């Protein structure tokens, strides 16, 4: 795995140990523009790594430092997500500039990088998340086209539960309590539901709590989610 050192000045010291990995898309016209912005001191944004569409990996910030990628966010009670996470940007124009599938080269580069980071810091699969998971009111990335199942197959992310599903029959309020217990910020109820669907049921993102959503969430709360990933 070859990593190109492309230092960004946009970082400071961590206040928390690393316990999660956050995946993003760049949401800009191309990789060059994204890299320029992430290294611009005026922009005050950065990530630890950027993976271009040809699979090239850039390291912008050392893992022991706090990169500025998460913004206002929360996951499993942690509000300073920047201090507790490693941020990885994947070059993709995003929903604003022509969202498209990620390239094979990108995912081929992501898998060993993610595996190494996860092992180094002892990060659980449930704490490998998307930007939309930690900031549902603001973000959509890495989006519904991101191949989470590819990561799940090699135990780098949670699988979408598909086996032995049971509907717990929660009320909508009960579902939101369970969703918060799983990790989401449910301050904006609709945004939280949409973020959950974008991650675990991307073929139907309608913001409606239905039996399938309840089944998936219940399975995720069990000790070992079972899926076909």
């Amino acid at each position: 795995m070859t990593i190109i050192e492309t230092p960004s000045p946009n970082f400071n010291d961590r206040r928390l140990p690393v316990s999660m990995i956050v995946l993003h898309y760049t949401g800009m016209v191309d990789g060059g523009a994204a890299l320029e912005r992430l290294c611009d001191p005026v922009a005050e944004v950065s990530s630890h790594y950027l993976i271009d569409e040809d699979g090239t990996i850039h390291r912008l910030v050392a893992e022991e430092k706090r990169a500025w990628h998460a913004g206002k966010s929360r996951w499993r009670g942690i509000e300073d997500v920047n201090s507790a996470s490693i941020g990885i940007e994947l070059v993709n124009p995003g929903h604003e500039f022509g969202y498209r599938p990620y390239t094979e080269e990108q995912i081929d580069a992501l898998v060993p990088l993610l595996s190494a980071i996860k092992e180094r810091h002892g990060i659980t699969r449930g704490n490998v998340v998307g930007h939309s998971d930690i900031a549902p009111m603001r973000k959509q990335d890495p989006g519904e086209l991101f191949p989470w199942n590819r990561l799940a197959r090699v135990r780098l992310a949670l699988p979408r539960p598909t086996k032995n599903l049971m509907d717990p029959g929660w009320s909508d309020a009960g579902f939101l309590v369970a969703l918060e217990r799983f990790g989401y910020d449910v301050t904006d109820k609709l945004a939280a539901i949409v973020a959950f669907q974008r991650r675990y049921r991307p073929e139907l993102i309608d913001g409606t709590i239905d039996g399938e959503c309840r089944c998936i969430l219940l399975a995720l709360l069990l000790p070992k989610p079972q899926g076909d990933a």
Side-chain angles (χ1 to χ4, degrees):
M1 183 169 54
T2 302
I3 297 177
I4 299 172
E5 300 293 341
T6 312
S8 170
N10 301 332
F11 64 88
N12 58 359
D13 291 332
R14 292 190 182 277
R15 306 183 187 103
L16 296 168
V18 174
S19 61
M20 65 183 85
I21 299 167
V22 182
L23 304 180
H24 307 254
Y25 64 42
T26 52
M28 299 188 71
V29 291
D30 58 33
L35 205 55
E36 183 177 348
R37 178 171 169 77
L38 291 165
C39 294
D40 181 357
V42 176
E44 296 187 340
V45 293
S46 62
S47 62
H48 292 90
Y49 298 94
L50 177 141
I51 304 178
D52 213 332
E53 290 186 294
D54 64 359
T56 301
I57 302 173
H58 295 265
R59 177 161 39 223
L60 285 67
V61 174
E63 289 182 19
E64 63 267 22
K65 295 299 184 179
R66 179 180 181 269
W68 305 339
H69 60 95
K72 182 175 173 56
S73 52
R74 189 168 82 195
W75 183 252
R76 295 185 170 173
I78 293 176
E79 296 192 351
D80 184 359
V81 174
N82 279 332
S83 275
S85 66
I86 301 291
I88 302 175
E89 295 268 2
L90 291 100
V91 172
N92 188 296
H95 292 83
E96 187 174 354
F97 294 107
Y99 188 45
R100 58 180 178 243
Y102 294 84
T103 68
E104 285 297 313
E105 291 84 356
Q106 278 181 308
I107 307 306
D108 286 344
L110 174 63
V111 165
L113 176 64
L114 191 60
S115 179
I117 296 169
K118 188 172 176 292
E119 184 173 348
R120 252 193 310 275
H121 298 280
I123 297 168
T124 64
R125 291 185 296 164
N127 276 350
V128 177
V129 294
H131 202 183
S132 59
D133 295 317
I134 65 169
M137 290 180 277
R138 301 186 301 111
K139 296 296 180 177
Q140 301 179 70
D141 58 311
E144 59 277 6
L145 297 179
F146 184 78
W148 287 104
N149 62 323
R150 173 92 182 268
L151 301 186
R153 281 199 297 270
V154 288
R155 298 188 63 79
L156 296 178
L158 287 176
R160 171 180 176 165
T162 56
K163 299 175 183 176
N164 305 318
L165 298 181
M166 296 178 293
D167 187 346
W170 294 319
S171 64
D172 286 0
F175 178 88
L176 289 164
V177 168
L179 192 59
E180 186 172 37
R181 180 184 170 197
F182 181 63
Y184 285 85
D185 178 356
V186 299
T187 303
D188 183 323
K189 298 177 178 61
L190 179 60
I193 296 161
V194 166
F196 174 76
Q197 292 174 337
R198 194 181 302 280
R199 168 68 177 84
Y200 289 103
R201 194 188 64 185
E203 72 277 7
L204 180 57
I205 305 170
D206 59 3
T208 300
I209 299 168
D210 57 23
E212 186 174 38
C213 289
R214 292 191 297 269
C215 286
I216 291 171
L217 181 55
L218 174 63
L220 286 168
L221 288 167
L222 297 175
K224 293 183 178 179
Q226 296 185 15
D228 294 326

